[in-house]
Amino acid sequence: MKTKHVIDLDSLSTEELMEIIELANDIRQAPQEYSDVCKGKILATLFYEPSTRTQMSFKTAMLRLGGNIIGFDNPQNSSVSKGESLKDTVTVVGGYADIIAIRHSLEGAAKAASLYSAAPVINAGDGGHLHPTQTLTDVVTLYNEKGTLDNMTIGLCGDLKNGRTVHSLIKTMSHFKGNRFVLISTPELTVPQYIKDIMNASGCRYTEVRSLAEAIPSLDVLYMTRIQRERFRSFEEYEKQRGVFVLDREKMCLARRDMKILHPLPRVDEIAEDVDYDDRAKYFDQTVYGMYARMALIMKMLENADRKPMPRVADTHSVRCSNPNCISYTEEYLPRIFRPLGGDMLLCRYCEGRNLI
Ligand code: CP
């Protein structure tokens, strides 16, 4: 792999992505052949935010490859609780481990970590921004369950504003030919502008709709998501959005026989429990594909990883990102790095938020 860190799957070429998918499938067929390929290597999991699947599947992946694991799943049990900065924690852990998976509640935290780590960094979810290894999980699932990554009508339903898995999946599936997106949400929870810009730039067709029942008959894939309670300013605002979209057996009667249901999980109330027994429901299989996907990713990243610390990164602009959920807004020592968008607009390199100069 050419890239050292995986912050966004966009840093991988389509060929590299397909190699990971193929390797994940090879491991799934014959796991015993890979049981000591990471012997002597250490994965650190730095989870500043709760997780069941991502954290445990990363740990299981490394253990099944014969490696070892360190880390924390609650920053209150680490020196983060004494005020240690992300930079210092990552600099230290990058000296202990061969590879780091980091989850954080702030957008751009994995990108920030990659600026200070000698070890390769994997983004295991950064606030409402991206979740590339969930997307790896999703594409391995789709490739196996649909037999292709092209020419699909993909419905995404729920919290499309805060759902980082949705953003990462759209970004990646936009690179494959002929995919079309049906975005099913309330007006308050539509995808951010930068995701619309990506779909427009790639020529992908998309529609925004308000009814799951009306959208479902046309779909090859339905990607359900929960409303992300932890990203709302108040419980009242969350309550207004909760329960608007529920997939139940009635709606499944409107869907095609070969439609597949994916969900990154955790589920709250957006899929009725009895849908679990429909053979089109693939969300629990998806969690197992995710473990093999992460095994493949760890192997590929460790193949030719260097341990050189990143050179100091300079500010590209004097402004500070205006997004209060951006890591650079909180950790003020971080370099102010932006990409010019033309006119008075700058794109923050951490959170991809637009900033007016
Ligand atoms: N899909 C996912 O990221 O689940 P966790 O939050 O449990 O890791």
Side-chain angles (χ1 to χ4, degrees):
M1 265 171 56
K2 286 201 189 77
T3 182
K4 174 171 176 174
H5 307 289
V6 174
I7 307 306
D8 182 341
L9 279 194
D10 274 4
S11 59
L12 271 58
S13 65
T14 305
E15 291 71 32
E16 287 174 324
L17 183 62
M18 292 311 297
E19 277 177 25
I20 294 173
I21 295 171
E22 298 292 356
L23 179 57
N25 281 344
D26 289 348
I27 300 170
R28 194 162 63 93
Q29 297 304 324
Q32 67 286 354
E33 287 179 22
Y34 298 85
S35 61
D36 64 359
V37 294
C38 285
K39 196 166 172 218
K41 299 288 184 191
I42 295 174
L43 164 78
T45 53
L46 305 184
F47 275 60
Y48 291 76
E49 200 185 42
S51 164
T52 297
R53 275 145 295 275
T54 312
Q55 189 216 151
M56 289 195 198
S57 67
F58 262 118
K59 287 178 171 172
T60 313
M62 193 49 154
L63 293 170
R64 285 184 186 273
L65 292 169
N68 293 298
I69 51 173
I70 59 170
F72 58 75
D73 55 18
N74 178 354
Q76 288 311 308
N77 296 335
S78 78
S79 288
V80 176
S81 65
K82 302 171 202 163
E84 186 164 62
S85 68
L86 182 75
K87 173 186 174 182
D88 289 0
T89 301
V90 167
T91 304
V92 170
V93 177
Y96 297 155
D98 298 284
I99 188 162
I100 295 175
I102 180 168
R103 168 170 291 193
H104 203 287
S105 58
L106 292 175
E107 298 169 18
K111 168 78 182 169
S114 74
L115 303 184
Y116 304 106
S117 174
V121 172
I122 304 172
N123 183 2
D126 60 328
H129 182 218
L130 296 175
H131 194 344
T133 65
Q134 180 62 48
T135 296
L136 213 46
T137 299
D138 302 339
V139 294
V140 170
T141 308
L142 288 174
Y143 193 66
N144 281 283
E145 297 295 337
K146 295 297 291 181
T148 181
L149 295 175
D150 299 321
N151 300 315
M152 288 188 284
T153 300
I154 303 168
L156 299 110
C157 180
D159 190 346
L160 310 188
K161 178 184 176 197
N162 301 300
R164 56 194 173 197
T165 63
V166 167
H167 308 158
S168 283
L169 185 61
I170 292 175
K171 272 185 144 186
T172 295
M173 294 307 285
S174 298
H175 296 308
F176 290 88
K177 72 171 189 301
N179 288 323
R180 173 175 172 259
F181 301 105
V182 181
L183 308 173
I184 310 154
S185 75
T186 62
E188 293 79 19
L189 297 182
T190 57
V191 294
Q193 185 57 44
Y194 82 91
I195 295 293
K196 290 184 184 172
D197 294 344
I198 287 165
M199 290 187 284
N200 289 329
S202 68
C204 271
R205 283 180 298 151
Y206 69 92
T207 48
E208 294 187 281
V209 301
R210 308 283 173 242
S211 163
L212 176 56
E214 282 174 28
I216 205 167
S218 69
L219 304 180
D220 297 301
V221 177
L222 173 59
Y223 196 87
M224 290 297 294
T225 61
R226 78 184 163 94
I227 307 301
Q228 306 262 310
R229 187 180 60 198
E230 66 277 27
R231 313 269 178 239
F232 282 77
R233 272 194 297 251
S234 70
F235 186 69
E236 289 68 35
E237 281 183 47
Y238 164 69
E239 276 291 298
K240 279 188 210 148
Q241 299 293 333
R242 197 170 70 90
V244 175
F245 298 106
V246 178
L247 181 64
D248 54 18
R249 277 172 59 167
E250 237 174 62
K251 292 195 189 76
M252 285 305 295
C253 291
L254 305 170
R256 290 177 16 192
R257 265 313 306 155
D258 63 351
M259 189 192 81
K260 305 294 177 198
I261 313 162
L262 271 63
H263 190 312
L265 304 180
R267 164 197 26 205
V268 182
D269 53 10
E270 61 282 353
I271 300 182
E273 192 264 350
D274 54 10
V275 176
D276 299 355
Y277 305 98
D278 188 305
D279 61 8
R280 293 168 285 185
K282 295 294 169 194
Y283 32 91
F284 291 117
D285 300 315
Q286 199 179 341
T287 62
V288 181
Y289 285 122
M291 181 185 69
Y292 293 114
R294 291 183 173 103
M295 288 171 82
L297 180 67
I298 291 170
M299 275 181 65
K300 287 282 180 192
M301 288 180 74
L302 287 178
E303 248 170 29
N304 51 6
D306 68 59
R307 290 202 50 86
K308 288 188 212 123
M310 290 282 288
R312 188 169 186 181
V313 175
D315 291 344
T316 61
H317 213 281
S318 56
V319 297
R320 190 152 72 100
C321 180
S322 58
N323 172 9
N325 297 320
C326 178
I327 187 79
S328 68
Y329 194 91
T330 311
E331 307 247 346
E332 290 187 23
Y333 56 83
L334 288 170
R336 299 172 182 195
I337 45 178
F338 296 91
R339 179 160 66 82
L341 284 179
D344 293 345
M345 280 290 178
L346 295 171
L347 188 85
C348 173
R349 294 264 189 197
Y350 299 100
C351 71
E352 298 187 80
R354 286 162 171 244
N355 286 259
L356 204 57
I357 300 173

